[in-house]
Amino acid sequence: MAYENCLRNYRIKDAARIARYYRPQKLYKYFDFSSQYWRQNVYEGQIAFNYPSNFNDPLDSRWFLDYKTIYKERFRDINEEWSVEAFGGEAFFENFIALNEEDLSYLRYMFCLSCFSETPHSNLMWGHYANKHTGFCLEYDLTRVPPTTQLIMPVVYTDLPFDASMILDMRNIDDKFAVLCPLLFKSNDWSYEKEWRIIIPDNDYSIPHVITLDNAISGVFFGFRSYGSERNELEMWAESKGIPAYQVERSYMSFDFKSELIEDIRKNKTHSGLLI
């Protein structure tokens, strides 16, 4: 709650300090073998960044503004009484809002994001981002992440959008990085993702942006339906690097998923064979 309050009060630096304190040691990212970049993601440790406007949630990182409150304050600055009629009438004001919303769309291109989850066992994440459980999930040990990649923040899931109105008037905000706050709020509909984000500024408007976290990969999880030559290739790579590989399996008494070391699965099968 303190983290959310910091964000809603435009104190991004305080929020970042709280996030760093509560940050889990490991985060997870889901992948699809059909992606042309999966080998770079694994063998080179590449993490791709994208604009929020390209995400599957059309409201991701959007600025929600209370236009009437904004302009009441601006009219007060010039000692005038604000009203829709004084602004030109309802139709004029609605058109003005539409034009502003169009102009604000460029703000979703100021920063690039890469998204992670707190868990490798999300049924929905496997379904949505790992091609119906046929892909894989990489585990990243954040203690191995370079100091230059420290802006790792959790998403706040809420029914109340972040009110970015005051950001338009930075006179009342001390933290110039307050423009990051809208990037960290999503609807409760997405809470299953348990998402954390790495945020980087975009200075040249070029995609894709990529950073390398190859030394941070500390585990590989294979989906419930993952099989085939590419899966075998990745499994052999993990073994050659001494990186633990896990098979994700269903729990027989619930809808939950769990994982087991592939090495232990093989040992158990061998042991069972000897007993027969």
Side-chain angles (χ1 to χ4, degrees):
M1 196 63 177
Y3 172 76
E4 180 178 349
N5 287 338
C6 286
L7 291 177
R8 289 197 183 277
N9 288 284
Y10 308 95
R11 293 170 19 227
I12 189 72
K13 291 180 181 178
D14 291 338
R17 280 191 283 269
I18 294 172
R20 195 176 302 117
Y21 182 81
Y22 287 103
R23 192 170 73 186
Q25 181 178 338
K26 295 178 179 179
L27 289 175
Y28 303 86
K29 196 171 185 68
Y30 294 77
F31 296 91
D32 181 352
F33 279 119
S34 66
S35 167
Q36 61 177 316
Y37 300 110
W38 78 262
R39 288 183 174 85
Q40 287 98 313
N41 297 141
V42 176
Y43 306 147
E44 299 174 25
Q46 290 187 359
I47 296 294
F49 287 74
N50 212 330
Y51 298 125
S53 57
N54 293 329
F55 291 171
N56 51 7
D57 177 6
L59 302 181
D60 198 315
S61 304
R62 290 195 71 90
W63 285 45
F64 290 87
L65 303 178
D66 182 349
Y67 285 97
K68 289 186 178 180
T69 298
I70 291 171
Y71 284 96
K72 282 179 182 178
E73 291 298 319
R74 292 189 178 181
F75 269 61
R76 187 176 291 115
D77 285 345
I78 58 174
N79 296 314
E80 295 285 343
E81 188 69 27
W82 184 89
S83 68
V84 171
E85 290 70 26
F87 206 85
E90 194 70 43
F92 181 86
F93 189 59
E94 290 297 322
N95 185 59
F96 176 81
I97 291 175
L99 290 173
N100 271 269
E101 288 290 301
E102 186 176 338
D103 289 341
L104 284 171
S105 63
Y106 85 93
L107 294 171
R108 300 174 84 197
Y109 294 89
M110 290 176 60
F111 298 91
C112 291
L113 311 175
S114 191
C115 308
F116 300 77
S117 176
E118 292 180 6
T119 176
H121 298 132
S122 170
N123 191 356
L124 288 171
M125 294 290 281
W126 280 107
H128 293 165
Y129 299 104
N131 194 17
K132 304 175 184 177
H133 295 253
T134 63
F136 63 97
C137 176
L138 294 182
E139 175 185 87
Y140 296 89
D141 185 339
L142 299 187
T143 64
R144 306 180 195 171
V145 171
T148 53
T149 314
Q150 288 302 307
L151 193 57
I152 305 175
M153 308 277 284
V155 167
V156 174
Y157 299 101
T158 176
D159 288 326
L160 184 64
F162 175 77
D163 183 356
S165 303
M166 283 185 63
I167 297 180
L168 294 185
D169 187 358
M170 297 296 285
R171 291 176 302 174
N172 300 318
I173 301 175
D174 296 328
D175 194 339
K176 66 179 180 180
F177 293 105
V179 291
L180 296 176
C181 293
L183 304 176
L184 296 165
F185 284 80
K186 293 182 72 171
S187 164
N188 274 324
D189 292 343
W190 300 90
S191 60
Y192 68 88
E193 294 185 335
K194 299 181 179 178
E195 183 180 341
W196 287 65
R197 295 179 158 181
I198 298 180
I199 305 171
I200 60 173
D202 179 37
N203 298 318
D204 56 8
Y205 300 98
S206 62
I207 287 292
H209 287 282
V210 174
I211 64 173
T212 300
L213 297 179
D214 54 336
N215 293 327
I217 297 175
S218 57
V220 180
F221 293 75
F222 292 100
F224 183 61
R225 295 170 172 164
S226 180
Y227 60 89
S229 59
E230 291 173 321
R231 180 243 165 84
N232 294 338
E233 176 187 334
L234 179 50
E235 193 176 327
M236 291 175 63
W237 173 84
E239 185 176 353
S240 71
K241 296 290 185 179
I243 295 175
Y246 303 85
Q247 177 61 51
V248 173
E249 301 174 336
R250 70 184 180 92
S251 299
Y252 289 100
M253 299 300 292
S254 72
F255 288 117
D256 295 331
F257 281 85
K258 60 180 182 178
S259 57
E260 188 175 356
L261 273 170
I262 292 175
E263 182 180 356
D264 289 345
I265 295 174
R266 287 175 178 160
K267 287 178 181 177
N268 291 336
K269 286 183 177 180
T270 301
H271 183 62
S272 298
L274 289 174
L275 290 177
I276 294 174

